[in-house]
Amino acid sequence: MIILGIDPGTLVTGYGVIETSGKSGVLQLVEYGTIESKRIATLADRLRVIFERLSAVLERTSPDAVAIESAFYHKNVQSTLKLGHARGVAMLASMLKDVPPAEYAPREIKRAVVGNGNASKDQVEFMVRSLLGLKPADKKLPDAYDALAVAITHAARCSNARRSTGRTSAKNWKQFVEANPGRIKK
């Protein structure tokens, strides 16, 4: 299954595409990056750029699933509204390719990837690197790692849904790694 994860933002939108293979659920990186629109003056033009570039990623990678980080609330209402615009554009791009997006809250993503819903961005990045075998030289903006974390969360949720009822799930990443040493790239 090919999964596109999206971390929406009007200045920087992160995206990450992974592939899960077979019953083993091994994660493989397809591509990741950011869509930057900081230098674009109007919100409407930024949204157009986000839509066009996400549409190109969808066309290029043909994902089976799309996962997007759900909205969280800022103290600044304007920031929250702008984030909503970026999320809407990402959802529209996904829906026009007939791939309805799944949504995950930031705490849920951190809990799925790190095992702690209050994890820092550095902890999320570290686990994403570990799970996908990325070297420190592959440094990208944090938004790209956040998008990969969204995709990994979706892969984990899909994997859990496919498991037979007789199997127990790990409560955290330490338990998961101990129970599945062959699924972690080193």
Side-chain angles (χ1 to χ4, degrees):
M1 173 189 287
I2 297 173
I3 303 167
L4 167 61
I6 302 170
D7 178 34
T10 55
L11 298 178
V12 180
T13 292
Y15 70 90
V17 184
I18 62 171
E19 184 171 7
T20 60
S21 51
K23 291 182 181 179
S24 67
V26 173
L27 302 175
Q28 188 173 22
L29 179 66
V30 175
E31 78 173 71
Y32 68 120
T34 57
I35 301 166
E36 294 191 41
S37 54
K38 294 175 185 176
R39 301 189 195 286
I40 299 171
T42 69
L43 178 60
D45 285 333
R46 287 179 182 172
L47 295 173
R48 180 180 46 80
V49 166
I50 293 166
F51 176 79
E52 289 172 350
R53 294 195 183 152
L54 278 178
S55 294
V57 171
L58 284 155
E59 188 69 34
R60 197 169 50 246
T61 61
S62 301
D64 302 300
V66 172
I68 187 167
E69 186 174 22
S70 65
F72 59 93
Y73 304 100
H74 293 274
K75 290 180 182 177
N76 182 335
V77 176
Q78 286 290 5
S79 295
T80 303
L81 288 171
K82 288 177 183 176
L83 176 62
H85 291 314
R87 284 177 29 76
V89 164
M91 289 178 166
L92 177 61
S94 174
M95 289 301 295
L96 289 176
K97 295 294 182 185
D98 294 321
V99 187
E103 295 182 71
Y104 297 98
R107 289 178 62 89
E108 183 179 5
I109 295 164
K110 291 174 182 179
R111 190 171 38 253
V113 175
V114 179
N116 174 4
N118 293 319
S120 70
K121 280 198 173 280
D122 289 339
Q123 290 171 314
V124 172
E125 180 181 326
F126 176 81
M127 283 307 297
V128 167
R129 283 180 188 281
S130 298
L131 291 167
L132 297 175
L134 297 173
K135 296 175 178 39
D138 294 335
K139 190 77 175 159
K140 296 266 184 171
L141 290 175
D143 301 279
Y145 292 114
D146 288 347
L148 287 168
V150 175
I152 291 167
T153 299
H154 188 72
R157 295 298 181 254
C158 290
S159 175
N160 287 341
R162 285 192 299 265
R163 286 187 179 153
S164 66
T165 56
R167 289 178 67 183
T168 60
S169 62
K171 302 261 188 270
N172 57 45
W173 275 108
K174 183 178 178 186
Q175 286 180 358
F176 176 83
V177 171
E178 289 171 356
N180 302 283
R183 292 180 62 187
I184 306 298
K185 291 182 180 183
K186 295 182 182 186

